[in-house]
């Protein structure tokens, strides 16, 4: 019941003529706070069917459990639509689908595109400092060098048949460091088709930070849409410099933007301040260990 309640789909998903889009929010966020005023409106304007997934406790709990929610969502959306699923996720929401794909192999044939918007694929040194006195389970797991990330990135980072588009910002203050050849969001290896692109590669003067990339940045949006609307991952050359002339992505109301983004910031601050701290990283589930399950 919890898995079912966390997933919300438009009625049009059942009769979809194109792959439905599954939106997954980042740590401290939920679909209403993150996507209702931008991505949901933009996809509706395009006429693309969509679903949203709420991660447990606004993405602050054990990400291994969040991964099970993603597994259920992929299977459910695939069954409902009869089509492969396109996933767009921000921060943890762009990383946690990889946990599903890594440890539930049946989901790999159900996903066409995975678009990560500043995903925490290799963690952040910010969490290493934040967690010294204790922190939320999801923060522990997104630390650089965590057991969780070691398991996630073991073996291979991508899988054949799936297009991976990683869109990030070099000015990221949450997923750190996110610049240079070893940018934390970047993916490499495995059998998937991969594009890693910083918004500054398309628009050199772009000053978007972590939350902007996942909520209103037009360059990130255009790269994501390119990935979803054409075979293969995002192609920066196809997008060109056109997105640079517009700050806000489609769907964002200029008149209410400050209020909408302010609500998001308030929500993030409240969740961070009130969520209980854990003293250590959650133990890996047996299926994610070298020993395996009994």
């Amino acid at each position: 019941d919890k898995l079912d309640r966390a997933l919300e789909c438009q009625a049009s998903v059942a009769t979809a003529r194109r792959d439905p889009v599954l939106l997954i929010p980042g740590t401290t966020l939920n679909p209403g706070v993150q996507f209702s005023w931008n991505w949901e409106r933009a996809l509706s304007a395009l006429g693309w069917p969509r679903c949203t997934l709420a991660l447990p406790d606004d993405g602050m709990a054990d990400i291994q459990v969040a991964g099970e929610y993603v597994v259920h969502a992929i299977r459910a959306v695939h069954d409902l639509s009869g089509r492969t699923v396109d996933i767009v996720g921000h921060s943890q929401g762009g990383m946690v689908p990889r946990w599903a794909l890594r440890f539930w192999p049946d989901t790999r044939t159900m996903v066409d595109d995975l678009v990560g918007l500043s995903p925490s694929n290799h963690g952040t040194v910010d969490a290493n400092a934040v967690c010294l006195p204790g922190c939320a389970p999801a923060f522990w797991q997104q630390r650089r060098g965590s057991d969780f990330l070691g398991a996630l990135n073991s073996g291979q980072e991508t899988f054949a048949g799936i297009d991976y588009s990683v869109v990030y910002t070099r000015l990221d203050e949450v997923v750190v460091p996110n610049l240079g050849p070893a940018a934390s969001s970047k993916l490499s290896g495995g059998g998937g088709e991969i594009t890693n692109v910083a918004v500054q590669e398309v628009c050199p003067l772009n000053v978007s930070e972590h939350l902007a990339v996942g909520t209103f940045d037009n360059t990130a949006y255009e790269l994501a849409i390119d990935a979803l609307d054409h075979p293969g991952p995002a192609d920066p050359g196809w997008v060109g410099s056109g997105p640079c002339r517009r700050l806000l992505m489609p769907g964002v109301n200029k008149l209410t933007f400050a209020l909408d983004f302010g609500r998001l910031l308030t929500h993030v601050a409240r969740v961070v301040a009130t969520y209980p701290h854990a003293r250590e990283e959650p133990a890996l589930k047996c299926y994610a260990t070298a020993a395996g399950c009994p």
Side-chain angles (χ1 to χ4, degrees):
D1 289 345
K2 289 181 179 180
L3 296 173
D4 287 336
R5 287 197 301 270
L7 178 67
E8 292 190 6
C9 292
Q10 293 178 304
S12 59
V13 171
T15 56
R17 296 185 178 181
R18 59 150 292 127
D19 291 350
V21 179
L22 174 63
L23 297 170
I24 306 179
T27 310
T28 73
L29 296 167
N30 60 59
V33 170
Q34 178 153 18
F35 296 127
S36 63
W37 53 280
N38 42 55
W39 271 93
E40 289 186 23
R41 293 175 183 173
L43 293 176
S44 291
L46 291 173
W48 292 7
R50 69 170 191 274
C51 301
T52 59
L53 178 65
L55 301 179
D57 294 355
D58 289 335
M60 297 287 277
D62 186 346
I63 302 177
Q64 296 173 101
V65 177
E68 297 181 24
Y69 278 67
V70 176
V71 171
H72 175 77
I74 291 171
R75 290 171 173 167
V77 177
H78 173 69
D79 289 346
L80 180 61
S81 65
R83 305 184 64 95
T84 52
V85 182
D86 288 339
I87 302 175
V88 176
H90 173 235
S91 195
Q92 182 190 148
M95 171 269 286
V96 67
R98 295 184 50 236
W99 188 266
L101 298 169
R102 172 70 176 83
F103 293 107
W104 280 264
D106 70 292
T107 61
R108 298 172 196 166
T109 61
M110 303 177 188
V111 175
D112 183 30
D113 277 275
L114 172 55
V115 178
L117 304 174
S118 280
S120 51
N121 286 321
H122 298 94
T124 172
V125 297
D126 283 2
N128 293 70
V130 167
C131 289
L132 286 175
C135 61
F139 288 0
W140 277 109
Q141 292 167 313
Q142 290 176 96
R143 290 159 38 252
R144 272 293 180 98
S146 70
D147 292 339
F148 172 85
L149 290 173
L152 172 65
N153 294 312
S154 63
Q156 61 189 85
E157 295 190 4
T158 69
F159 296 94
I162 302 172
D163 297 325
Y164 296 81
S165 300
V166 176
V167 182
Y168 65 100
T169 173
R170 294 169 177 160
L171 303 179
D172 204 315
E173 80 288 20
V174 175
V175 177
V176 179
N178 224 0
L179 72 168
S184 183
S185 286
K186 285 185 176 182
L187 292 174
S188 63
E193 294 292 324
I194 306 170
T195 290
N196 296 302
V197 55
V199 292
Q200 288 82 11
E201 293 176 48
V202 177
C203 303
L205 299 180
N206 190 304
V207 295
S208 289
E209 46 68 63
H210 185 77
L211 287 172
V213 166
T215 56
F216 68 80
D217 181 81
N218 188 56
T219 305
Y221 167 80
E222 294 289 351
L223 287 165
I225 291 298
D226 176 72
L228 302 182
D229 204 28
H230 300 95
D235 183 350
W238 183 273
V239 171
S241 61
C244 308
R245 294 189 287 271
R246 179 173 179 169
L247 173 64
L248 302 177
M249 64 173 278
V252 176
N253 186 328
K254 295 179 181 178
L255 298 178
T256 63
F257 166 68
L259 183 61
D260 293 330
F261 194 64
R263 287 197 187 103
L264 180 144
L265 293 176
T266 300
H267 183 85
V268 169
R270 180 182 60 78
V271 171
V272 170
T274 61
Y275 197 82
H277 286 188
R279 294 184 178 181
E280 59 186 9
E281 179 182 349
L284 285 175
K285 304 290 186 181
C286 61
Y287 66 78
T289 66
C293 297

